[in-house]
Amino acid sequence: MIFRQLFDLETSTYTYLLGCERTRRACLIDSVASELATYVDLLNKLNLNLIFTFETHVHADHITAAGLLRQTLGSKSVVHRDAGAKCADLLVTDQVLLQVGDLDIEVRHTPGHTNGCVSYVLSDRVFTGDSLLIGGCGRTDFQQGDAGQLYDSITRQLFTLPADTLVYPGHDYNGNTVSTIKQEITKNPRIGNARKREDFIAIMQELKIAYPRFIDQALPANQCCGLAADSL
Ligand code: FE
């Protein structure tokens, strides 16, 4: 497998490039519009064909490159059915299996940060978007967020993966790049160490987080795959 973890400094967003060695087919998870040229260069350099762009959810903090990549390279955009992005080429639900060449990717519905959040499982690793962060989790006070639902998603859909599964999150603000399911089960300060559901909900309710900087631009754009509504 070809694998690259890319980072957008402005929004601390991780984007993942996954490629099949044999077929040269590739996908990007959570691309960022301002990084379009980087992706095109990298795909060319690695001799890869971009088939899909996967979103873990409709983001409030950056604009996706899905629409631009579709226009430029012909890739298909993938989001969860409940994400509210009617522009997508493929709307997925829990347990859908996606193939990128020889790579088998399983969709797990992990709502709570938003109602349309998913995680993508690929062999020894999981891409968790904002559902599970390294030592944290996504906020639950916008976009149909629900702390109880997030608790259920993390404990039932993610903490049930093999303990040594690598956790690749959608963001990190502290320089971390990767974790494991075991590390989050034991050490995650919000939900690890057998935190009870009601205590997790209380922790999430007490968080005082600023209004997201880019939400008013990012949300409507991302519901159109990152493009202006009239350009679709
Ligand atoms: Fe988010």
Side-chain angles (χ1 to χ4, degrees):
M1 175 179 40
I2 295 154
F3 176 71
R4 296 287 188 281
Q5 182 177 32
L6 310 167
F7 188 62
D8 175 56
L9 251 181
E10 197 189 6
T11 60
S12 300
T13 300
Y14 280 127
T15 300
Y16 300 94
L17 171 69
L18 313 175
C20 167
E21 304 255 12
R22 186 179 67 86
T23 62
R24 312 313 294 178
R25 290 179 166 224
C27 65
L28 281 165
I29 299 177
D30 288 342
S31 59
V32 179
S34 57
E35 300 287 331
L36 178 70
T38 309
Y39 306 144
V40 174
D41 271 7
L42 186 59
L43 288 159
N44 279 336
K45 222 174 273 171
L46 296 171
N47 187 27
L48 290 171
N49 236 328
L50 189 71
I51 304 300
F52 290 121
T53 54
F54 296 151
E55 303 296 330
T56 56
H57 59 296
V58 167
H59 309 277
D61 55 355
H62 68 267
I63 294 177
T64 176
L68 293 172
L69 285 162
R70 177 167 58 197
Q71 287 177 346
T72 314
L73 302 175
S75 50
K76 305 274 187 220
S77 64
V78 179
V79 300
H80 189 268
R81 183 181 58 186
D82 299 341
K86 296 263 155 35
C87 58
D89 298 292
L90 193 58
L91 299 174
V92 293
T93 54
D94 191 48
Q95 293 180 22
V96 161
L97 290 175
L98 299 158
Q99 283 190 317
V100 178
D102 296 334
L103 309 181
D104 292 323
I105 297 162
E106 181 199 341
V107 175
R108 293 204 176 194
H109 189 207
T110 51
H113 169 59
T114 77
N115 59 340
C117 282
V118 296
S119 298
Y120 295 100
V121 180
L122 167 61
S123 62
D124 64 346
R125 57 200 69 195
V126 58
F127 302 91
T128 54
D130 295 355
S131 297
L132 179 63
L133 303 175
I134 299 173
C137 63
R139 64 196 296 170
T140 54
D141 54 343
F142 284 104
Q143 295 179 269
Q144 297 84 41
D146 182 313
Q149 200 176 43
L150 183 58
Y151 182 93
D152 296 339
S153 292
I154 294 173
T155 54
R156 294 175 191 169
Q157 293 275 58
L158 300 175
F159 283 1
T160 51
L161 288 163
D164 56 358
T165 303
L166 300 170
V167 173
Y168 285 103
H171 298 281
D172 194 87
Y173 306 95
N174 306 302
N176 303 300
T177 54
V178 62
S179 172
T180 63
I181 289 295
K182 183 179 181 188
Q183 182 178 321
E184 298 310 314
I185 287 176
T186 52
K187 296 213 172 79
N188 188 298
R190 287 193 193 160
I191 197 166
N193 200 14
R195 176 83 65 197
K196 288 202 178 76
R197 193 175 191 274
E198 60 265 33
D199 295 338
F200 176 76
I201 293 170
I203 288 171
M204 295 308 289
Q205 275 167 354
E206 278 158 29
L207 292 177
K208 302 265 184 285
I209 316 178
Y211 189 73
R213 256 195 309 164
F214 298 121
I215 190 169
D216 297 326
Q217 297 92 330
L219 271 191
N222 287 334
Q223 282 158 352
C224 302
C225 292
L227 301 172
D230 56 9
S231 74
L232 282 174

